Amino acid sequence: MKRILLLGGVTEALTIARTLGPEHIYSLAGVGRVPTDLTCQVRVGGYGGAEGLAQFIRDEGVDLLLDATHPYAAQISQNAAIAAGQAGIPCWALRRPAWQPQHGDDWREVGDWDELIEALQPFRRPLFTLGREPLQHLHEIPPEQFWTLRALDVYPGNERCEVIGARGPFLIGNERELFEQRQIDVLISKNSGSTATEPKLQVARERGVPVIVLRRPVLAEVDRELGSVSELLAALSA
Ligand code: NAP
């Protein structure tokens, strides 16, 4: 494989990027940290949709597009599949397996924000671990609820919401403390499938706290799906 364009933004993508030589490109949206210690090239920022990505692939002579973005980053994954098709190169994707509920779990799946708010009604002290989306709804918090919102960075909350800025991996002991101190009675989460953020699910199980799970988006079909970094690296070197 002569030249890879790796679409990243999650831990596994960075692990793959660390194995790539200087002819390859690691691409980031620019919302998180940008690594400065990689051998491969790093490109930051969007392409202006699938057309722009296809143009970049042609201009740079990319031979393989690797989609290692977050399972909820549906737009870029769709753009990747379309752009690779337009440019006539294969698109492979790293698709993390989803978490599965275990014995003792009380999971309630929702498809969007409206369904989430309805499922939240019986609860008083939710912990949101969905990223920044709830920030747009702080003025809608009912008087009987107090929200704890965990995001990558700290943002201003209000009298009914505190925002905590924290980046994984999260340790089980700290998660237990968080649930205990704030008397969390419901957890709201994506089904990211990442081991770095999984301990909150164990704590919810231990405490009998229900979990409202935002359903995974359906992602575009690609030429090849790999379930883990090791599988992907083996496929690349084959
Ligand atoms: P998204 O809705 O699928 O993508 C929005 C736009 O951001 C894309 O159309 C593209 O812009 C640009 N973009 C996204 N990933 C890119 C990449 N790797 N390289 C260059 N441009 C990229 O994505 P999102 O949910 O906002 O997530 C943004 C990034 O954060 C993703 O790379 C994702 O892997 C990472 N991330 C997301 C989550 C999550 O929960 N969604 C969690 C952790 C990390 P153009 O159309 O202009 O090309």
Side-chain angles (χ1 to χ4, degrees):
M1 207 58 72
K2 286 195 289 280
R3 191 160 210 209
I4 295 170
L5 176 59
L6 169 65
L7 302 172
V10 294
T11 317
E12 294 96 323
L14 182 58
T15 307
I16 298 162
R18 291 198 188 287
T19 70
L20 299 179
E23 67 278 27
H24 305 295
I25 307 165
Y26 181 41
S27 166
L28 291 166
V31 288
R33 290 197 184 119
V34 178
T36 52
D37 59 345
L38 298 181
T39 307
C40 67
Q41 299 162 43
V42 179
R43 183 189 179 282
V44 180
Y47 297 87
E51 301 285 334
L53 181 54
Q55 192 59 49
F56 181 86
I57 290 168
R58 287 189 212 102
D59 291 348
E60 295 293 326
V62 172
D63 305 291
L64 172 67
L65 185 58
L66 270 186
D67 174 14
T69 58
H70 191 272
Y72 285 72
Q75 185 62 58
I76 187 68
S77 290
Q78 187 180 342
N79 291 356
I82 295 170
Q86 286 180 356
I89 65 163
C91 181
W92 292 5
L94 179 66
R95 302 264 200 251
R96 266 186 207 155
W99 290 320
Q100 299 300 328
Q102 295 183 24
H103 181 71
D105 280 336
D106 175 1
W107 284 16
R108 302 160 189 207
E109 205 173 62
V110 294
D112 59 24
W113 184 261
D114 288 343
E115 285 182 30
L116 193 166
I117 287 303
E118 203 175 318
L120 201 59
Q121 271 177 13
F123 302 101
R124 298 287 171 269
R125 297 190 63 86
L127 170 61
F128 284 83
T129 58
L130 289 174
R132 285 176 301 177
E133 187 180 359
L135 289 170
Q136 299 161 26
H137 301 277
L138 296 189
H139 58 285
E140 299 162 19
I141 303 176
E144 67 279 9
Q145 289 184 352
F146 184 87
W147 292 8
T148 299
L149 204 162
R150 183 162 71 190
L152 289 181
D153 300 300
V154 183
Y155 298 91
N158 64 22
E159 69 284 355
R160 289 211 283 282
C161 176
E162 187 179 348
V163 184
I164 305 171
R167 287 161 195 263
F170 296 104
L171 303 176
I172 185 83
N174 296 343
E175 298 293 61
R176 285 191 182 116
E177 227 169 87
L178 181 70
F179 276 65
E180 173 61 27
Q181 275 175 358
R182 291 171 177 268
Q183 289 298 296
I184 298 302
D185 63 0
V186 64
L187 169 69
I188 300 102
S189 179
K190 292 177 179 170
N191 189 336
S192 82
S194 163
T195 50
T197 52
E198 204 172 358
K200 63 188 174 187
L201 297 178
Q202 188 184 326
V203 179
R205 192 174 306 127
E206 287 169 5
R207 298 177 69 92
V209 165
V211 185
I212 300 176
V213 180
L214 186 63
R215 195 174 302 131
R216 277 190 172 199
V218 177
L219 299 177
E221 278 187 31
V222 290
D223 297 291
R224 192 162 177 187
E225 279 191 19
L226 293 309
S228 69
V229 171
S230 53
E231 240 181 84
L232 192 142
L233 293 179
L236 283 180
S237 59

Coordinates of all heavy atoms in Angstrom, one line a residue, residues 6-10 27-31 43-50 53 68-70 72-77 79 130 152 190, ligand 1:
L6 N -5.6 8.3 6.8 CA -6.2 7.7 8.0 C -7.1 8.8 8.6 O -6.6 9.8 9.1 CB -5.2 7.3 8.9 CG -5.6 6.9 10.4 CD1 -6.5 5.7 10.3 CD2 -4.3 6.6 11.2
L7 N -8.4 8.6 8.6 CA -9.3 9.5 9.3 C -9.4 9.1 10.8 O -9.8 8.0 11.1 CB -10.7 9.5 8.6 CG -10.7 9.8 7.1 CD1 -12.1 9.5 6.6 CD2 -10.3 11.2 6.9
G8 N -9.1 10.0 11.7 CA -9.0 9.6 13.1 C -9.8 10.5 14.0 O -10.9 11.0 13.6
G9 N -9.4 10.5 15.2 CA -10.2 11.2 16.2 C -10.4 10.4 17.5 O -11.0 10.9 18.4
V10 N -10.0 9.1 17.4 CA -10.2 8.3 18.6 C -8.8 7.6 18.9 O -7.9 7.6 18.1 CB -11.3 7.2 18.4 CG1 -12.7 7.8 18.3 CG2 -11.0 6.3 17.2
S27 N -5.5 12.3 9.5 CA -6.4 13.4 9.4 C -7.3 13.6 10.6 O -8.0 12.6 11.0 CB -7.3 13.1 8.1 OG -8.4 14.0 8.1
L28 N -7.4 14.8 11.1 CA -8.2 15.1 12.3 C -9.1 16.2 12.0 O -8.8 17.2 11.3 CB -7.3 15.5 13.5 CG -6.4 14.3 14.0 CD1 -5.3 14.9 14.9 CD2 -7.3 13.3 14.8
A29 N -10.3 16.2 12.6 CA -11.3 17.3 12.5 C -10.8 18.6 13.1 O -11.2 19.7 12.7 CB -12.6 16.9 13.0
G30 N -10.0 18.5 14.2 CA -9.5 19.7 14.9 C -10.3 20.0 16.1 O -10.2 21.1 16.6
V31 N -11.1 19.0 16.6 CA -11.8 19.3 17.9 C -11.1 18.8 19.1 O -11.3 19.3 20.2 CB -13.2 18.6 17.8 CG1 -14.2 19.3 16.9 CG2 -13.1 17.1 17.5
R43 N -2.9 16.2 9.2 CA -3.7 17.2 8.6 C -4.9 17.5 9.5 O -5.5 16.6 9.9 CB -4.2 16.7 7.2 CG -4.9 17.8 6.5 CD -5.6 17.2 5.2 NE -6.4 18.3 4.5 CZ -7.5 18.7 4.9 NH1 -8.1 18.2 6.0 NH2 -8.2 19.7 4.3
V44 N -5.1 18.8 9.7 CA -6.2 19.2 10.6 C -7.2 20.0 9.9 O -6.9 20.9 9.2 CB -5.6 20.0 11.8 CG1 -6.7 20.4 12.8 CG2 -4.5 19.2 12.6
G45 N -8.5 19.6 10.1 CA -9.6 20.3 9.5 C -10.4 19.5 8.5 O -9.9 18.5 7.9
G46 N -11.6 20.0 8.2 CA -12.5 19.3 7.3 C -12.1 19.5 5.8 O -11.2 20.3 5.5
Y47 N -12.8 18.8 4.9 CA -12.5 18.8 3.5 C -13.5 19.5 2.7 O -13.4 19.7 1.5 CB -12.3 17.4 3.0 CG -11.2 16.6 3.6 CD1 -11.4 15.9 4.8 CD2 -9.9 16.6 3.1 CE1 -10.4 15.2 5.4 CE2 -8.9 15.9 3.7 CZ -9.1 15.3 4.8 OH -8.1 14.6 5.4
G48 N -14.6 19.9 3.4 CA -15.7 20.5 2.6 C -16.6 19.4 2.0 O -17.0 19.5 0.8
G49 N -16.9 18.4 2.8 CA -17.8 17.3 2.3 C -17.1 16.3 1.5 O -15.9 16.3 1.3
A50 N -17.9 15.3 1.0 CA -17.4 14.2 0.3 C -16.6 14.6 -1.0 O -15.6 14.0 -1.3 CB -18.5 13.2 -0.1
L53 N -13.2 15.8 -0.1 CA -12.4 14.7 0.3 C -11.9 13.9 -0.9 O -10.7 13.5 -1.0 CB -13.2 13.8 1.3 CG -12.5 12.6 1.9 CD1 -11.1 12.9 2.6 CD2 -13.4 11.9 2.9
A68 N -11.1 5.5 10.7 CA -11.0 5.1 12.1 C -11.6 6.2 13.0 O -11.0 6.6 14.0 CB -9.6 4.8 12.5
T69 N -12.7 6.7 12.6 CA -13.4 7.8 13.3 C -14.3 7.1 14.4 O -14.5 5.9 14.4 CB -14.2 8.7 12.4 OG1 -15.1 7.9 11.7 CG2 -13.3 9.4 11.4
H70 N -14.9 8.0 15.2 CA -15.8 7.5 16.3 C -17.0 6.9 15.7 O -17.5 7.4 14.7 CB -16.1 8.7 17.2 CG -16.8 8.4 18.5 ND1 -18.1 8.3 18.6 CD2 -16.3 8.1 19.7 CE1 -18.4 8.0 19.8 NE2 -17.3 7.9 20.5
Y72 N -20.0 7.3 16.4 CA -21.1 8.3 16.3 C -20.8 9.4 15.3 O -21.6 10.3 15.1 CB -21.5 8.8 17.6 CG -22.3 7.8 18.4 CD1 -21.6 6.7 19.0 CD2 -23.6 8.0 18.7 CE1 -22.3 5.8 19.7 CE2 -24.3 7.0 19.4 CZ -23.7 5.9 19.9 OH -24.4 5.0 20.6
A73 N -19.6 9.4 14.7 CA -19.2 10.4 13.7 C -19.7 9.9 12.3 O -18.9 9.6 11.4 CB -17.7 10.6 13.7
A74 N -21.0 10.0 12.2 CA -21.6 9.3 11.0 C -21.4 10.1 9.7 O -21.3 9.5 8.6 CB -23.1 9.2 11.2
Q75 N -21.3 11.5 9.8 CA -21.1 12.3 8.6 C -19.8 12.0 7.9 O -19.8 11.7 6.7 CB -21.2 13.8 9.0 CG -21.2 14.7 7.8 CD -22.4 14.5 6.9 OE1 -23.5 14.6 7.4 NE2 -22.1 14.1 5.7
I76 N -18.7 12.0 8.7 CA -17.4 11.8 8.0 C -17.3 10.4 7.5 O -16.7 10.1 6.5 CB -16.2 12.2 9.0 CG1 -14.9 12.1 8.3 CG2 -16.2 11.3 10.2 CD1 -14.7 13.2 7.2
S77 N -17.9 9.4 8.2 CA -17.9 8.0 7.7 C -18.6 7.9 6.4 O -18.2 7.2 5.5 CB -18.5 7.1 8.7 OG -17.6 7.0 9.9
N79 N -19.1 10.4 4.3 CA -18.3 11.1 3.3 C -17.1 10.2 2.8 O -16.8 10.3 1.6 CB -17.7 12.4 3.9 CG -18.7 13.5 4.2 OD1 -19.9 13.3 3.9 ND2 -18.3 14.5 4.8
L130 N -22.3 12.4 27.0 CA -22.6 12.3 25.6 C -21.8 13.3 24.8 O -22.0 13.5 23.6 CB -24.1 12.8 25.3 CG -25.2 11.9 25.7 CD1 -26.5 12.6 25.5 CD2 -25.2 10.6 24.9
L152 N -15.3 16.9 27.3 CA -13.9 17.0 27.2 C -13.3 18.2 27.9 O -12.3 18.2 28.5 CB -13.4 17.0 25.7 CG -13.6 15.7 24.9 CD1 -13.1 15.9 23.5 CD2 -12.9 14.5 25.6
K190 N -23.5 7.3 25.1 CA -23.5 6.7 23.8 C -23.0 5.3 24.0 O -22.5 4.9 25.0 CB -22.5 7.4 22.9 CG -22.9 8.8 22.5 CD -21.9 9.6 21.7 CE -22.4 10.9 21.3 NZ -21.4 11.8 20.7
Ligands
NAP1 P1 -19.0 14.1 12.0 O1 -20.3 14.8 12.4 O2 -19.1 12.8 11.4 O3 -18.2 15.1 11.1 C1 -18.5 16.5 10.9 C2 -17.4 17.0 10.0 O4 -16.2 17.2 10.6 C3 -17.2 16.2 8.8 O5 -18.1 16.4 7.8 C4 -15.8 16.7 8.3 O6 -15.9 18.0 7.8 C5 -15.1 16.9 9.7 N1 -14.3 15.8 10.2 C6 -14.8 14.8 11.0 N2 -13.8 13.9 11.2 C7 -12.7 14.3 10.5 C8 -11.4 13.9 10.3 N3 -10.9 12.7 11.0 N4 -10.6 14.5 9.5 C9 -11.0 15.7 8.9 N5 -12.2 16.2 9.0 C10 -13.1 15.5 9.8 O7 -18.1 14.0 13.3 P2 -18.3 14.5 14.8 O8 -19.2 13.5 15.5 O9 -18.5 16.0 14.8 O10 -16.8 14.2 15.3 C11 -15.7 15.0 14.9 C12 -14.4 14.2 15.2 O11 -14.3 13.9 16.6 C13 -14.4 12.9 14.4 O12 -13.1 12.8 13.8 C14 -14.5 11.8 15.4 O13 -13.7 10.7 15.2 C15 -14.1 12.5 16.7 N6 -14.8 12.1 17.9 C16 -16.2 12.1 17.8 C17 -16.9 11.7 18.9 C18 -18.4 11.7 18.9 O14 -19.0 11.2 19.9 N7 -19.1 12.0 17.8 C19 -16.3 11.2 20.1 C20 -14.9 11.2 20.1 C21 -14.2 11.6 19.0 P3 -15.9 18.2 6.1 O15 -17.3 17.7 5.7 O16 -15.7 19.6 6.0 O17 -14.8 17.3 5.6

